[in-house]
Amino acid sequence: MVVLTKPAIDHFPIVKNSFKSPSFFNDIPVIDLSKPDSKNLIVNACEEFGFFKVINHDVPMEFISKLESEAIKFFSSPLSEKLKAGTADPFGYGNKKIGQNGDIGWVEYILLSTNSEFNYQKFASVLGVNPENIRAAVNEYVSAVKKMSCEILEMLAEGLNIHPTNVFSKLLMDEKSDSVFRLNHYPPCPDIQELNAKNLIGFGEHTDPQIISVLRSNNTSGLQILLKNGHWISVPSDQNSFFINVGDSLQVMTNGRFKSVKHRVLANSVKSRLSMIYFGGPPLSEKIAPLASLMEGEDSSLYKEFTWFEYKKSAYKTRLADNRLILFEKIAAS
């Protein structure tokens, strides 16, 4: 358990409460993957929100429960034990510090590569944690979520009348796919009431640089997304469903038709929030550019071509809230 002392509050970013009372936005698109019209609804959701909720998915609840159980076991350990897993460099255990550029939040996390060569033995020295159990739980879960992600991306391509329909999904299926997996734990923050109608930031506002992000959390709320009108709205939690984010790379590949959604997480005063996020990324050498079929001639491209390695390198030099794509936008001719 992480304890927040009064002086510590002053070091964390806060946001004035967006709502006079707890308020949720109930019009977030819900996509039933078992329905035949899903592909068109996915396209609409990506255009309007860059975000949607998925129900009737094929990810076994057993995989979710097993991974959640292992994550709780790890995060419930004393800090001195968790630190034995090694600081995030970038993979490993992180606490409060997000990235290398000064961002902090009321969060602790494990960041893992989905690459099969990832060394889980760094968890072996953490008392009561079995690295093989974590490895098996992560691999089962990620494999199922990756399969669902590819199905969604293929439905999306079909909805856009792009052929072949694996134009996005093949990047995640590539054995060199640079995808990562993150477990975020936001401990309860009892002293939050002292912040006078302000909220403590768990994870600051940002977009995800990859193609697609797939999030699942427990039943504790906290996630907010930014609408086109500039208003932040809270997303009702649902532990049985998944939430999909459009990433920066997908925004570029669709030439801005889809917008990567800016989102953040606020700390909760009473309950801890546990979320698991799969970030589906392309191979490092993959060239990212608007698809020709979505442009009206070469001159209509809004972005310069770049490799995923170039974008990733650039993104990790920025602060969370920065517009990372601005460096890769084509300047309109005056």
Side-chain angles (χ1 to χ4, degrees):
M1 176 63 68
V2 182
V3 179
L4 184 68
T5 60
K6 181 66 177 74
I9 290 177
D10 301 330
H11 299 296
F12 283 85
I14 56 175
V15 60
K16 287 191 176 178
N17 201 335
S18 313
F19 312 103
K20 290 177 181 172
S21 59
S23 173
F24 292 100
F25 187 73
N26 293 309
D27 292 330
I28 286 163
V30 178
I31 310 295
D32 184 339
L33 292 183
S34 67
K35 296 286 177 66
D37 64 342
S38 293
K39 62 184 181 184
N40 296 320
L41 295 175
I42 289 174
V43 169
N44 292 341
C46 290
E47 289 176 337
E48 288 302 309
F49 294 89
F51 180 87
F52 55 94
K53 174 177 166 176
V54 161
I55 60 172
N56 285 331
H57 53 79
D58 290 331
V59 180
M61 289 307 296
E62 175 198 347
F63 291 179
I64 296 171
S65 301
K66 192 186 293 185
L67 180 55
E68 186 170 67
S69 171
E70 290 299 323
I72 290 170
K73 207 179 290 180
F74 176 84
F75 287 124
S76 298
S77 304
L79 181 59
S80 57
E81 287 295 321
K82 288 181 283 197
L83 289 172
K84 291 177 183 176
T87 52
D89 57 348
F91 302 115
Y93 173 72
N95 187 318
K96 302 184 181 74
K97 183 182 173 187
I98 302 169
Q100 305 300 314
N101 303 302
D103 288 297
I104 59 170
W106 188 240
V107 63
E108 58 178 342
Y109 62 88
I110 304 172
L111 186 62
L112 306 168
S113 167
T114 60
N115 190 308
S116 58
E117 295 168 15
F118 182 77
N119 181 18
Y120 281 86
Q121 284 308 307
K122 57 167 61 185
F123 295 104
S125 56
V126 181
L127 195 65
V129 173
N130 184 323
E132 273 308 299
N133 289 352
I134 293 181
R135 184 195 61 77
V138 169
N139 286 352
E140 277 181 345
Y141 177 87
V142 167
S143 177
V145 168
K146 177 179 172 181
K147 178 174 176 286
M148 177 184 69
S149 302
C150 289
E151 287 168 2
I152 289 170
L153 288 171
E154 286 174 15
M155 291 165 80
L156 195 154
E158 201 178 330
L160 289 171
N161 293 314
I162 298 172
H163 300 284
T165 54
N166 72 342
V167 65
F168 304 122
S169 63
K170 69 180 181 183
L171 302 177
L172 272 58
M173 293 304 295
D174 193 302
E175 62 180 16
K176 292 182 179 176
S177 164
D178 182 42
S179 297
V180 295
F181 181 65
R182 187 177 188 112
L183 287 160
N184 285 338
H185 176 235
Y186 303 92
C189 177
D191 299 322
I192 209 168
Q193 306 300 341
E194 296 180 33
L195 294 175
N196 300 321
K198 292 177 182 176
N199 285 308
L200 195 71
I201 293 287
F203 209 111
E205 62 180 85
H206 64 286
T207 59
D208 297 332
Q210 291 87 355
I211 295 169
I212 189 174
S213 309
V214 182
L215 176 143
R216 182 266 170 194
S217 73
N218 63 359
N219 259 345
T220 302
S221 60
L223 177 65
Q224 294 189 333
I225 63 169
L226 185 66
L227 299 181
K228 284 181 178 178
N229 62 12
H231 292 154
W232 285 98
I233 50 104
S234 289
V235 177
S237 57
D238 182 349
Q239 63 183 1
N240 299 313
S241 303
F242 289 93
F243 294 93
I244 313 296
N245 292 353
V246 168
D248 295 344
S249 297
L250 187 56
Q251 176 173 321
V252 172
M253 293 179 81
T254 59
N255 203 30
R257 182 167 171 180
F258 297 165
K259 289 281 191 284
S260 57
V261 64
K262 189 162 268 195
H263 52 287
R264 67 187 182 192
V265 175
L266 303 183
N268 189 290
S269 61
V270 182
K271 297 188 291 182
S272 67
R273 174 180 166 88
L274 180 72
S275 59
M276 36 189 87
I277 313 105
Y278 167 74
F279 299 94
L284 289 170
S285 60
E286 185 68 30
K287 290 177 179 174
I288 308 293
L291 298 175
S293 58
L294 297 179
M295 291 192 295
E296 298 168 2
E298 259 184 64
D299 292 341
S300 67
S301 171
L302 299 177
Y303 303 95
K304 305 168 192 172
E305 182 180 271
F306 53 85
T307 64
W308 168 238
F309 175 77
E310 288 169 336
Y311 187 58
K312 185 177 175 180
K313 188 177 175 183
S314 171
Y316 287 122
K317 288 178 182 173
T318 62
R319 296 292 298 265
L320 270 181
D322 290 347
N323 178 358
R324 306 182 185 108
L325 276 177
I326 202 164
L327 298 174
F328 298 88
E329 290 174 0
K330 284 189 174 178
I331 300 169
S334 54

